[in-house]
Structure formats: structure tokens, C-alpha cells
Amino acid sequence: MWVPDVGPPQAASASYNRGCIAIVTGASRGLGREITLEFLRRRVSVIGVARTAADLNSLLGRALSEAQGNARLFPCVADITTEEGMWAIEATLAHSDQVLIALINNAGGVELLDRSGDKVVATFKNREDRAMASIENASMDAWRAIFDVNVFAAVNLIRRFLPIMRLTKGRIINISLAEHNEDYNISSSIGSRASTQSYHGWAAYCVSKGAINMLTKSLAHEEPDIVSIAICPGFMDTDMYNYVMKKGSRVMDKKEYKRLQQLQNDKLPDDNNRYKEEEEPAMNAQKKIHHPSEPAYVIVRLALESSSKLSGGLFTWDAPELDYFHDQGSFAFATELALRGGGGGGEETILPPENLFGSY
């Protein structure tokens, strides 16, 4: 099995008198919540961005018990599809007085969801306006809404924080969608074993993630001092997955929907742990639903340690190329990485100017 040289781990930039901070969108639930908590355990503060205060308040309580060292959660209630939301994130960073080292573009999904009490419901009340539908049936309003969150908000965040991240040599992790192809033998580029997956009834989501994958590659090409990686976390036990299981049977291909059910029930056919191609198309190499803390661990390590050799790549979180980042014995705290030069990274830290965002 081909495994590329991913290079030695490189330290996330840090200062001896200012702490490190990461921005995580969609921080209040699911994968974003677990990424936030993992950063805090590794002594990295987090600007946790979400649309509602209630979920962030719940996260804040957990953060107080999980955070190590001087790490803090800075809650930021913001709609990332608006300029006001961007200003709120910038103001929170300025208020934190910490060094931005990572941006995790996690917010988004197959359908835009809200909470109604204990229930998770679609943002668009009318079924014809929802994004989880065929290309013919999904409304243009739904397409625009999905792209606003999944693509344009990520682009806007990257544009806003590029000046800082060039100085801190930061890392940008974009949460995406992919399948890992074990039979793909061409090894000319990092991440070439992964390709964007598609599902019947998920066209708007899949197309948006295809755009994210190319955004990641383009960013790596234009910004060599910033590591940019697209990661597929697979199917997780989250509100989004549960919503898809509840509503997906109406719009998804029957075989694809059944496969998701089998993942949930951990009852996949055991034919060398893979489906026969003639029976059913492969839907990722995943064999069961996993907890979002599993990919969150790998994503945080990539945000703190990945080298430029991975930049521009698209990976599934459990890809063999990322085996190093699964090894819990090799993990160091962000402050330890900085003090020892990142295990070979050894790059000089440059702090951003105090007035980069102006005054708030």
C-alpha cells in the first residue's frame, strides 16, 4: 500500500507571551463541538462560532471542565453568511488578544437545520424549498442557501484571515465529502486516492463540497506558507446524520439509503469487508457510524502539526496517508510543539500587527 512522505510535524506558530487560538465554525454541535473540545484539551483557545446562543452556552459549560492550561473558549454568536457575522468573528479575535493559528471551516451540511426545542428541523419549512432533493426538485433558493453556508462563507472567512495566517504560517482545514479508493494506484499527488462522492438527492451538498475541494487545492497553490487540507469525516452520529435517516428515504436512492441504515446498525455484508461492485456501488470504506470525537482528534492534530507536503490534499479522516495523526502516543501539546520547534519545523514566529482589524 502506497503511503506518501508527509514530512515531519511542524509546530503551530506560537508566542511565549500570547496564546494560540483557532476559529471553528459550527462549533456548538456534532463534529464542530468535538473539534472545539479537542483544541481546548491541547491548550489551544477557540473562537467557537454558531448561530444560536443556547447551544454555545451548553458548550461553554463543557469547555470549562475540558480546557487545559490557559486555553479558553470565546463564544461567538454569528451568522457566517452575513457581513455582520464576519465582523463579530473579527471582533472576537481582536478581543482575545491571541495568535490565530488555525481556521476550521466546519459549518454546513446536506440540509440547513435549526433547533425547535429538543427537535432538529429543516430551516426551510416548505419541502419544495429544501436542498435535500434531486437536481430537478431542489429550489434555487435552497441551492443558494447551501452554497452561502458551505462555500461562500468559507471563502469569505479565508479571505478575511489570510493576512494574519500568512504571518503565523497557519493551517486551514476544510470539512468536505470524499470516498477513499483503495484500488487507486496513481500516486503522483497527495490526496489522489480520495475523490468527491455523490449521493442521489444530495446534489446541492455534493456540488458545494466539490467546490470546497477545489478551493482547498487553489488555496494551497496560491498560499505556500499556509497549509490547506480538505478532510472528509465520514458518517458520524450527529444531528445531521439522524435528520438524513429520518427524511432521506423520500429522496435518496434505495440502495444508498439502505447502506446508511446498515452503517447505523453495524450490519454490513462481510465480503472481505467490502461490497461487490456489481451488487452496490461503494459508499466510502466506512463500516459503521462513528462518534465525531474520532475524526475530531485527527483534524486537530492536522491543524497543529501537518506539514506543507499535505497542503492541497483531499483525504478521508482515516486514510492511510494520515496514520501518523491517529497515533495518540505521538501527540504533543501546542505549547510543547512551539518550544521545541515543532519536531523539525523550527520556523520563526511572527506575530500579527495589533491593528490588523482596526479598533472595536
Side-chain angles (χ1 to χ4, degrees):
M1 177 180 291
W2 170 74
V3 178
D5 175 14
V6 298
Q10 295 178 345
S13 297
S15 162
Y16 299 116
N17 58 3
R18 293 173 69 187
C20 299
I21 198 165
I23 296 172
V24 180
T25 64
S28 63
R29 294 182 293 190
L31 179 62
R33 180 184 177 93
E34 295 300 328
I35 291 172
T36 297
L37 293 173
E38 191 64 39
F39 270 125
L40 294 171
R41 295 183 192 109
R42 306 305 166 187
R43 302 175 187 172
V44 177
S45 294
V46 176
I47 297 174
V49 184
R51 287 184 297 167
T52 62
D55 286 339
L56 279 175
N57 288 338
S58 171
L59 174 61
L60 186 59
R62 178 76 181 276
L64 290 172
S65 63
E66 295 282 348
Q68 298 293 314
N70 294 320
R72 288 181 56 192
L73 171 65
F74 293 84
C76 181
V77 179
D79 181 349
I80 59 174
T81 67
T82 67
E83 284 301 295
E84 291 81 4
M86 293 293 148
W87 296 338
I89 298 170
E90 290 175 345
T92 305
L93 178 60
H95 171 72
S96 75
D97 193 36
Q98 301 202 38
V99 181
L100 180 64
I101 62 168
L103 168 62
I104 314 297
N105 284 311
N106 167 70
V110 178
E111 186 73 81
L112 301 185
L113 301 179
D114 289 318
R115 278 196 180 274
S116 177
D118 294 332
K119 295 181 179 180
V120 175
V121 297
T123 301
F124 289 102
K125 305 305 178 186
N126 296 326
R127 188 178 298 175
E128 59 270 20
D129 291 331
R130 295 177 188 172
M132 195 166 69
S134 65
I135 295 173
E136 179 183 11
N137 293 328
S139 72
M140 290 310 301
D141 285 343
W143 276 82
R144 292 186 187 98
I146 287 291
F147 267 71
D148 280 345
V149 176
N150 291 4
V151 182
F152 299 137
V155 172
N156 203 1
L157 282 164
I158 290 169
R159 290 177 65 250
R160 298 273 182 151
F161 295 109
L162 271 180
I164 281 186
M165 301 199 78
R166 287 193 194 107
L167 293 172
T168 62
K169 301 185 187 302
R171 295 172 176 85
I172 297 174
I173 310 295
N174 296 317
I175 305 305
S176 191
L177 176 70
E179 64 173 337
H180 186 76
N181 187 350
E182 291 287 350
D183 298 326
Y184 198 87
N185 294 318
I186 299 174
S187 57
S188 58
S189 63
I190 287 291
S192 59
R193 285 171 172 263
S195 58
T196 304
Q197 178 66 300
S198 63
Y199 299 101
H200 189 282
W202 295 17
Y205 176 72
C206 294
V207 173
S208 72
K209 290 306 182 181
I212 283 293
N213 295 341
M214 187 51 69
L215 171 65
T216 303
K217 191 171 184 178
S218 299
L219 183 60
H221 185 66
E222 292 185 7
E223 301 289 341
D225 289 335
I226 298 173
V227 176
S228 307
I229 300 172
I231 289 289
C232 173
F235 293 106
M236 302 169 289
D237 185 11
T238 62
D239 287 344
M240 181 59 66
Y241 173 81
N242 292 328
Y243 178 85
V244 168
M245 292 310 301
K246 183 178 179 181
K247 305 292 186 180
S249 60
R250 301 172 181 172
V251 297
M252 292 184 67
D253 174 82
K254 290 182 179 179
K255 288 185 178 180
E256 292 177 344
Y257 183 76
K258 182 179 179 182
R259 173 66 187 261
L260 291 188
Q261 287 182 313
Q262 290 169 327
L263 287 175
Q264 186 178 38
N265 298 328
D266 193 17
K267 294 179 180 178
L268 291 185
D270 187 13
D271 180 14
N272 295 322
N273 292 324
R274 298 189 60 190
Y275 273 93
K276 292 181 180 179
E277 185 173 350
E278 64 272 19
E279 291 180 348
E280 188 165 342
M283 288 179 60
N284 208 315
Q286 189 170 337
K287 301 172 182 65
K288 64 179 181 179
I289 296 298
H290 51 256
H291 193 272
S293 60
E294 297 179 64
Y297 176 85
V298 175
I299 289 165
V300 169
R301 290 203 58 180
L302 287 168
L304 295 177
E305 299 179 71
S306 56
S307 76
S308 58
K309 291 187 177 182
L310 291 175
S311 196
L314 165 63
F315 304 94
T316 55
W317 75 278
D318 54 353
E321 296 94 329
L322 305 182
D323 279 350
Y324 171 82
F325 301 96
H326 288 260
D327 181 6
Q328 298 198 19
S330 64
F331 196 98
F333 291 112
T335 49
E336 294 169 350
L337 281 168
L339 287 171
R340 70 174 188 240
E347 298 174 344
E348 181 182 359
T349 298
I350 305 174
L351 294 180
E354 300 290 339
N355 63 347
L356 191 61
F357 291 134
S359 7
Y360 289 92

